[in-house]
Amino acid sequence: MLPGIATSENPFAALGVTALQQSIYTTLLYHPGSTLSELAGLTEQPRSRLAGILMDLEALGMVDVDVSPDPAYFPFPPDAVVETLIRKRETEFIRARIEAKRLSGDLLAIEQRSNPEKLVEIIDGLEAVSQRWEQVQRGAVKQIKAIDKPPYAVDPGVPNEIERERLANGIEYRVIYTPEALAIPERLEMARHDCGIGERARILENPPTKLVIVDDELALMPLRGDEPGVTALIRPSTLLDILISVFNACWEQATPLHADDDSGPQDVWPRLSDVDRHLLSLLAAGLKDEAVARHTGMGARTVSRHVARLLRTLNARTRFQAGVHAARRGLV
């Protein structure tokens, strides 16, 4: 073995590479283009064993081999190798998670047939509800759908860092906010930030319940609307199917927090100032004059005058209607 090349440490171990494979790869880094015979002399490994290791390294995407009577082996750059191995491991992890969910689903179906009471689990206590909320977010494979309305089991003024992490990993979040939720200080700005990194958000007055649905496979719903500390976890069942339908119906009725592809032509609408646009975005969120004043720093009477002018300009009967019309046409 070459001095200074083979070590007891294997930096690729976490990526599924054995210490011996790593040692042969490292030798090739210092002697690219070596043949099997040359590598056997450098590493003191039997040719038959070395040939198998080189085949494994080629399958892992760590080395390339030329086509000749006496093939020579060339290592790929370490940074490229690491990226390739990481992507392969990530793919394996995703497959393992999907298979685990499938097996869990099979076991759950069997258990539910023999124990129907397992369809609904009662989670009691704010801390337990908060922990389960974090758990179901981390367990999502595709999508989380939520109806966001007070009261909360967690501090509504603190960003959902798990959501931001999961959005970066490709998990879709579709969130329906109530005006009461967005009236909470800082929550509207957090919602806008999350929309900027991938959350799909809409606004709806008076949805029937606070709700979270994960991958259409389970749901979290408070048993009493004013008491988030007593929450039901609903597994696949007719009840879950109904809750999915409820969310989908609410989503269709809700107004985008920002204009999306149902916005219409803007040339028939009046030009608005930046102040007007900001006011309309707050109105679209369902905020009352007092809450708008807090967000803008204006006095309540000044807000009322601006709102009355905007209602006349946009030919809207209510504040919420003005915000909805503006959002649908891309004015905010």
Side-chain angles (χ1 to χ4, degrees), residues 222-244:
L223 290 182
R224 290 188 288 271
D226 59 348
E227 201 171 320
V230 182
T231 292
L233 186 149
I234 299 105
R235 297 186 172 89
S237 58
T238 302
L239 177 56
L240 178 60
D241 293 341
I242 292 171
L243 293 177
I244 293 171

Side-chain angles (χ1 to χ4, degrees), residues 244-291:
I244 293 171
S245 296
V246 167
F247 178 88
N248 292 340
C250 289
W251 182 261
E252 291 302 318
Q253 297 171 29
T255 302
L257 184 58
H258 292 291
D260 57 13
D261 45 8
D262 70 343
S263 58
Q266 300 181 26
D267 54 0
V268 299
W269 282 72
R271 292 186 177 275
L272 300 176
S273 68
D274 290 341
V275 172
D276 289 340
R277 291 175 184 274
H278 185 47
L279 280 173
L280 283 168
S281 69
L282 298 175
L283 296 179
L287 272 62
K288 305 301 182 185
D289 285 1
E290 295 79 5

Side-chain angles (χ1 to χ4, degrees), residues 6 11 19 47 121 139 141 152 161 171 176-177 220-221 227 246 257 278 281 310 328:
R47 286 173 57 92
E121 173 188 346
V141 173
Y152 297 94
E161 297 297 344
I171 303 302
I176 299 171
Y177 292 95
L220 291 172
M221 182 182 69
E227 201 171 320
V246 167
L257 184 58
H278 185 47
S281 69
L310 284 172
R328 289 191 182 280

Side-chain angles (χ1 to χ4, degrees), residues 91-130:
T91 300
E92 292 169 2
F93 292 151
I94 292 171
R95 287 176 179 170
R97 177 177 284 174
I98 291 172
E99 178 62 13
K101 277 187 168 289
R102 187 190 68 79
L103 292 172
S104 297
D106 291 345
L107 292 173
L108 181 62
I110 294 171
E111 184 179 16
Q112 288 171 351
R113 283 194 292 270
S114 57
N115 299 293
E117 66 276 8
K118 296 293 184 179
L119 291 172
V120 178
E121 173 188 346
I122 305 303
I123 306 167
D124 192 4
L126 291 178
E127 184 175 353
V129 172
S130 175

Side-chain angles (χ1 to χ4, degrees), residues 105-183:
D106 291 345
L107 292 173
L108 181 62
I110 294 171
E111 184 179 16
Q112 288 171 351
R113 283 194 292 270
S114 57
N115 299 293
E117 66 276 8
K118 296 293 184 179
L119 291 172
V120 178
E121 173 188 346
I122 305 303
I123 306 167
D124 192 4
L126 291 178
E127 184 175 353
V129 172
S130 175
Q131 289 175 351
R132 186 58 64 92
W133 166 225
E134 293 182 6
Q135 181 186 53
V136 298
Q137 287 185 92
R138 295 193 184 281
V141 173
K142 296 179 181 178
Q143 182 186 77
I144 291 176
K145 299 185 286 193
I147 296 177
D148 184 313
K149 61 185 298 187
Y152 297 94
V154 297
D155 185 349
V158 176
N160 183 353
E161 297 297 344
I162 298 176
E163 174 182 351
R164 296 177 179 183
E165 173 189 325
R166 306 265 38 219
L167 283 169
N169 291 332
I171 303 302
E172 181 186 21
Y173 275 72
R174 294 168 60 189
V175 183
I176 299 171
Y177 292 95
T178 63
E180 294 78 16
L182 296 179

Side-chain angles (χ1 to χ4, degrees), residues 295-312:
H295 277 279
T296 61
M298 297 180 183
R301 291 184 178 179
T302 302
V303 169
S304 296
R305 287 196 299 272
H306 276 291
V307 169
R309 176 179 54 79
L310 284 172
L311 291 179
R312 292 192 301 271

